[in-house]
Amino acid sequence: MGLKRQKIAKKTISFYKYNFSFRQPFQILIDGTFCQMALKNKIQIKEQMPKYLMGEVQLCTTNCALKELETLGKELYGARIILQKFQSRRCAHLKDPVPASECLLSMLGETNPHNYLVATQDHTVTAGVKKIPGVPLLYIILNTIVLDKPCQTSLDHVKAVSLGEMVSVAQQQSIRSLKEDKGIAQKDGERRGKKRKRKQSNPNPLSCLKKKKKGGPTPPKNTEQGQKKKRVRNKKQKTEGGDNLSAPVVTNA
């Protein structure tokens, strides 16, 4: 029975590894109800949790969960001693503590960006976790730790990603990191409403040249009043005395 339970857990962990980028060491958020149930059933959380999940784990809690156990009195003293041994993660309620159920759900947010697993016996936390995609749920039943199967919200999210209807959280983080590495990350809405400015370029040097006039037959040059220039030639004439007189003779050139 133990091998079968571990096999199912391995399959569930593989689902979260492949679809939501879970990696070791697994971060497990634990509240006082889980510690109280473990104490009642004599379960060593630090020893059994890594064996069950087949990997390294980081057991952690919040300040609100510790404060809640302090206010509940001596009945939960043993659970408080166990919870104090785990790492305390900083929450947003350091000055004004809230109930542990509210604090744990606030640590998950809407998309569980830090890949937390949640270990609880609280029905309020369980109901809230099942509304968030990608949150593995651990609880104790029949003296054993059980990793719950993926909730319907996680299955619907994976289906939507496979159909291309949305981008997975891992893809969003990888895109954001690539933009930051390239230095092109911008604030939301910065590009919206902006027109792209055209870069001013120098004019084409060929377009600056003067256009040549289309060649045609050059008209003949005429003299005044459209007449050709006439050449004058002197012609000698003989007189009665035998003298030669020159008279101008006009010929056409």
Side-chain angles (χ1 to χ4, degrees), residues 101-102 105 120-130:
S101 57
E102 182 180 343
L105 292 176
T120 183
Q121 302 293 125
D122 192 334
H123 294 290
T124 304
V125 179
T126 301
V129 164
K130 291 184 177 181

Side-chain angles (χ1 to χ4, degrees), residues 53-67:
L53 297 177
M54 293 166 288
E56 297 180 8
V57 298
Q58 284 184 358
L59 305 176
C60 51
T61 186
T62 63
N63 183 60
C64 294
L66 291 169
K67 289 289 184 182

